[in-house]
Amino acid sequence: MLKTATAKIDPTYFYIRWAFEKQFGIIDVSLPPRQPSKSNGATQSLREQSESLCDYLWDNYIELQNAEHILLVGVEEGVSGLIHMLQARRCEKRVKALVGFICAANMQSILYGGIKDQALAEWYFNSSLLFVGSDHLFWENNKSRRRKYGNCKLTAGDVISTVMLNSQKDATDFMMNKVTDEASDTNTDTNHHNNGDGDANNKNSV
C-alpha cells in the first residue's frame, strides 16, 4: 500500500489487517505528508517521488517474489506512482487489481500523460477501482469523467480517512473477486487441459 501521510487516524490499518487475515504478503509505504500548497511544483514533486519509489519497490522487492496475485493499493498521489509503475515495468500480468482512494489529489495529476498502450489502458479500465470523495471537483465536471481514469466510484467523505473507511467492504470485495476470478479461470484451463490429455490417451489405448 502506497499512501501519503496525512490522516490523523490511519485507516490503512483496516486494510492491512484484512490482507493479513487473507494471508497476503504486505508492503506498506508512506510518502512525505501532503503540503497545503496546491502549486503545480508541489504536486509534481510529490508525484515524481511516488513514481520513483514505486519503480524501486518493484525492482528490489516485488519482482523478486514468486507472487502471481499482486494487489496494488494507493492513496492520493500514491495512485500515480502505481500507474506509472504499471507502464514502466509492464507488470500487469502479475497484478490482479489496482484500488485507489482520492480526496484531495488532482485527478489529471494522478494519470499524468495518460496510458499510451491500448492493451494496458484496457487492462487498467477493467482492473482498477478508484474511490473518489464526494466533495472532489471530479464530480462537478461531467466531461472529466472519462474512461481513462478507470472505474471511479462516488464515495461519501470530505477527508481521505473517511473515504477509505467508507470504502472498506467495496474495496476488499473488489480485490478478492479479482483474485478468485483469476484462480477460477486457471483451474478451468487446467481441467480442460487434463481432460484433453485423458481423451487423447484413451484414443491411443483404443
Side-chain angles (χ1 to χ4, degrees):
M1 177 177 289
L2 186 64
K3 60 187 184 293
T4 50
T6 55
K8 294 181 179 179
I9 300 176
D10 188 357
T12 59
Y13 163 77
F14 299 98
Y15 293 92
I16 292 173
R17 184 180 65 181
W18 171 82
F20 179 79
E21 291 174 349
K22 297 298 181 182
Q23 298 184 329
F24 284 105
I26 302 167
I27 298 178
D28 180 33
V29 182
S30 293
L31 290 168
R34 298 186 83 256
Q35 300 300 320
S37 171
K38 296 183 179 180
S39 67
N40 291 335
T43 300
Q44 179 179 352
S45 175
L46 195 53
R47 186 183 68 240
E48 289 174 349
Q49 290 180 59
S50 172
E51 293 174 355
S52 61
L53 177 58
C54 284
D55 287 347
Y56 176 83
L57 290 173
W58 180 265
D59 294 340
N60 294 279
Y61 293 94
I62 305 173
E63 186 179 26
L64 303 180
Q65 306 303 314
N66 294 323
E68 294 294 335
H69 297 86
I70 298 171
L71 303 172
L72 302 178
V73 180
V75 181
E76 300 287 22
E77 282 81 0
V79 179
S80 175
L82 297 176
I83 295 174
H84 165 81
M85 184 184 75
L86 283 166
Q87 297 185 83
R89 298 300 184 261
R90 292 310 304 257
C91 50
E92 69 272 16
K93 289 184 178 180
R94 296 177 62 186
V95 175
K96 303 311 170 191
L98 186 155
V99 167
F101 305 96
I102 299 170
C103 187
N106 185 298
M107 289 294 284
Q108 292 183 343
S109 176
I110 291 295
L111 200 59
Y112 181 75
I115 298 177
K116 302 295 191 298
D117 183 86
Q118 186 59 41
L120 182 58
E122 189 69 21
W123 177 94
Y124 173 72
F125 181 78
N126 292 325
S127 305
S128 67
L129 183 57
L130 304 184
F131 296 91
V132 183
S134 52
D135 287 350
H136 199 285
L137 292 175
F138 177 76
W139 302 114
E140 295 182 10
N141 185 357
N142 290 330
K143 294 181 180 179
S144 69
R145 298 185 215 169
R146 299 172 183 169
R147 182 184 177 90
K148 71 175 185 179
Y149 291 110
N151 290 297
C152 298
K153 183 167 185 175
L154 179 68
T155 307
D158 57 356
V159 293
I160 193 62
S161 57
T162 305
V163 171
M164 294 182 70
L165 291 173
N166 288 339
S167 307
Q168 284 182 65
K169 186 178 188 308
D170 288 343
T172 53
D173 284 352
F174 176 78
M175 290 187 284
M176 208 63 220
N177 287 338
K178 288 298 182 181
V179 171
T180 53
D181 287 349
E182 174 71 16
S184 177
D185 290 343
T186 301
N187 289 336
T188 299
D189 291 342
T190 301
N191 289 335
H192 286 167
H193 178 72
N194 290 338
N195 289 337
D197 288 346
D199 291 342
N201 289 335
N202 288 337
K203 289 178 181 178
N204 289 335
S205 297
V206 171

